[in-house]
Structures are given as structure tokens and as C-alpha cells.
Amino acid sequence: MTDLKRKDIPMPGITFVKDDALHIGRKASKLNPVINLNPAFLNKTYVRKMLQNSNIPENQTDLALNRWTLAICEHELGHAMGLKHYKGKRASVMRENPGVPIQPVDVQNARRLYHLGH
């Protein structure tokens, strides 16, 4: 995991998988992910801006920042494991704009990806 430190990339995190082994027939252990977190979007100022139209009180910004940062890390970890963005109707940490923790649908998708059954 590294710091991206790029204000021109408008996202809080991005994961690059150098060897997409799951899709070319090699063992899953061959994945070589690099998770990048972008501090330009993981700060109180940005979170306050995101929360302006929410019902979260100003005095809970630190808690919201921590929860949001954790959701970003969980989302990027999902990519590192080989999960793609989730487009279903249920809540998922793998939605493009996460804000929720890992959900049962995420566990199901990971188990399916690694052929671990239900």
C-alpha cells in the first residue's frame, strides 16, 4: 500500500493488479496488487465537503473521516483480491462510491471468485 499523492487523480484510492492471474488461468497467489491511497482525498476538508448535505453533525467529522477511510481501504483490498465494481442492487463495499463496510454479498463474491462455494 502506498500514497498516490496526486490531486489530478480525483479518487481517494486506486488499485493496480500487475498480473491479473485469476483471469489467465494461473493460481490466485500470482496476483501482484499495488494499492494506492490518495491523501488529497482522505482528509477532513474533503470529508466535510462530502458531508455538507448529509445529516451528520460537524462534531462527528472525525468519526466520518475514519469510517470513510476504512471503507476506501476495504474497497481497494477487494480490488487487490480480484473483485470488480459491484453493480447489483444490494449494498456493497465494491460499489464505485463506497461508504459501507464489507457486506455479505462481498463475501459471497469473493468465495465465488476463489471457488470456495457459498
Side-chain angles (χ1 to χ4, degrees):
M1 189 173 288
T2 63
D3 283 349
L4 188 59
K5 296 180 182 170
R6 301 260 317 258
K7 290 184 180 180
D8 61 320
I9 297 178
M11 57 185 66
I14 187 167
T15 299
F16 301 102
V17 179
K18 293 181 180 177
D19 183 4
D20 200 354
L22 292 175
H23 301 288
I24 58 175
R26 298 184 196 154
K27 291 184 179 179
S29 62
K30 298 285 185 182
L31 284 172
N32 189 10
V34 176
I35 298 173
N36 298 277
L37 297 179
N38 195 349
F41 292 86
L42 295 172
N43 59 60
K44 285 185 187 181
T45 304
Y46 183 75
V47 172
R48 278 193 185 102
K49 181 179 172 186
M50 297 294 287
L51 297 175
Q52 281 178 348
N53 296 324
S54 73
N55 293 327
I56 297 175
E58 180 72 22
N59 66 352
Q60 292 188 12
T61 302
D62 286 343
L63 179 62
L65 173 63
N66 291 339
R67 176 61 239 152
W68 193 73
T69 301
L70 180 59
I72 297 301
C73 292
E74 291 171 341
H75 177 89
E76 297 306 329
L77 181 60
H79 283 311
M81 291 172 52
L83 295 174
K84 306 295 182 203
H85 284 144
Y86 179 74
K87 303 215 185 301
K89 293 183 180 183
R90 293 186 268 177
S92 168
V93 75
M94 294 311 299
R95 287 194 180 276
E96 285 194 52
N97 189 5
V100 298
I102 296 169
Q103 300 293 303
V105 69
D106 301 313
V107 175
Q108 290 169 356
N109 288 338
R111 292 182 66 78
R112 189 176 303 116
L113 184 64
Y114 284 91
H115 308 289
L116 298 174
H118 302 296

